[in-house]
Amino acid sequence: MERWRTSSRLPVVLEVLRGPEAEPAARRLAEAFGGEPVVVGERLVGEPGYRSRRLLFASGGEIILHDDAVAAVLLHLRPTSALTSGLHLPDWIDGVDDDATLDQLTTALEAPRHLAGFGSPYLALDGGYARLTFTEDRGWNDPGNLESITVTAEKPGLTCRPEDDDCPSCSDLLVRSSDPTGGFDVAATTASLTAALTAGLVTEDAHWVRLADLRPLHASGLMARVESQLTCTTCRRIICFALLQDSPPTFTYAVLNDARRRPLGAIPPVEQWGDTARIAEEREAMHYLDHEPGAWFLLEQQDVLYLQARYVISSMADDSALIRLDDSEREAYRTGGRDHVARLASRIHDGSPHREESPYHQRDLLQGSDGASYREAVTRAIVNHTWLAEQRRR
């Protein structure tokens, strides 16, 4: 039998998950945390929304409920803005102290260890998971670096973290309507998100509709559903802001795997829905010309040709290089068409552009100081032609 069942109080935590606050199990846990909470917070998250309720106890324990069902239990081990001290870990797990490391916890609990992403180790328990949060998501085996343990029924990484309901950067970006029937103010929410984008609190995903284009594209009626996606730079949740022709707008938070599966049709040409300024802007932008799935994209901007070609770094990683075609390559394309582009892309692939000795390393625009801008320009140009775009249209 795993040691966590008999040498820790985690079974007391696990039995409350997904149950209501009024159940005896939840009341027993509250008593174990010291009785009445010292801080109670509540908010409506997203639209359609769910009610998030947080009960913080002076001992360092916390219970988070979603629509009156326990979504997570946190064991805070360090002082926070609302706590003068953290929970005493030996009271909950035998064989460790308050400076326990990942290895020590794994040994003490005898629970399988896994990773959610690159910075979130967690232990698999029967009926739940214990996610471990360390200072700056590193130093897992440095004593004193463990900040908290979050126990959930949901596997870490597959859903948003319940404690991020109150993220200081993105939790208040939705502007609710004053209408008693509910909903939210689309114009005010767009302005709120735009301000957050300008301030660097969120970043915009170029694979989706630009936030600035969302409302005019929706107003055109050309798409049944338009959506922008923005990632919070603090909690990493993805905000999915969608306007629909036959339903109320939605504002939800998602993890990457769920966000990328959301539907989106092909985005119509700007000339069909944009104003004069937006059309003029688009004329200056990079545009798609041709591609070979999984291999290359040919693009054009103000009579300059660019080739983005995929290459393999190792069996575990790949990337793309973006080169500006020189005069001889442009002439070869004029006479040889896409066959020449395919041969050039193959040479780039075989040339390992990530290596400094490669003839394509210095030519790779994504390696330079403007690499992020070029990458975004390419992503917007090919938005209707990627494998991901094909999946979203199904």
Side-chain angles (χ1 to χ4, degrees), residues 259-339:
R260 68 186 305 173
R261 292 179 177 179
R262 294 170 65 87
L264 185 72
I267 301 173
V270 171
E271 291 77 11
Q272 296 181 14
W273 53 267
D275 60 18
T276 302
R278 181 67 181 87
I279 293 172
E281 178 188 356
E282 186 65 18
R283 280 198 292 266
E284 304 294 317
M286 193 174 285
H287 298 104
Y288 164 88
L289 291 180
D290 197 358
H291 83 289
E292 179 63 32
W296 54 264
F297 282 92
L298 183 66
L299 306 113
E300 178 272 338
Q301 185 175 24
Q302 296 181 304
D303 202 35
V304 176
L305 295 181
Y306 297 89
L307 178 63
Q308 183 193 56
R310 176 180 173 272
Y311 64 90
V312 176
I313 299 175
S314 69
S315 60
M316 299 292 290
D318 60 12
D319 202 350
S320 294
L322 179 70
I323 68 166
R324 183 184 296 110
L325 270 61
D326 59 27
D327 290 343
S328 62
E329 291 164 341
R330 286 175 58 92
E331 177 60 22
Y333 169 62
R334 188 186 68 81
T335 57
R338 76 189 318 268
D339 287 342

Side-chain angles (χ1 to χ4, degrees), residues 6 14 31 46 92 142 146 148 171 197 209 255 283 329 356:
T6 57
L14 289 169
E31 288 300 321
W92 288 82
D142 293 341
L146 179 64
S148 65
S171 62
L197 186 60
V209 176
V255 295
R283 280 198 292 266
E329 291 164 341
E356 291 188 6

Side-chain angles (χ1 to χ4, degrees), residues 251-265:
F251 185 106
T252 58
Y253 296 93
V255 295
L256 177 61
N257 195 47
D258 290 338
R260 68 186 305 173
R261 292 179 177 179
R262 294 170 65 87
L264 185 72

Side-chain angles (χ1 to χ4, degrees), residues 223-244:
M223 296 182 70
R225 185 179 190 279
V226 293
E227 179 168 321
S228 294
Q229 292 192 0
L230 305 100
T231 301
C232 176
T233 57
T234 299
C235 71
R236 308 307 301 171
R237 287 186 299 177
I238 298 173
I239 298 170
C240 303
F241 181 24
L243 304 181
L244 300 87

Side-chain angles (χ1 to χ4, degrees), residues 27-56:
R27 293 201 298 270
R28 286 194 295 269
L29 180 60
E31 288 300 321
F33 282 155
E36 294 298 317
V38 293
V39 178
V40 177
E42 192 168 319
R43 69 162 63 239
L44 191 61
V45 179
E47 184 63 38
Y50 62 85
R51 182 68 58 182
S52 175
R53 178 173 162 83
R54 302 184 69 154
L55 312 175
L56 180 64

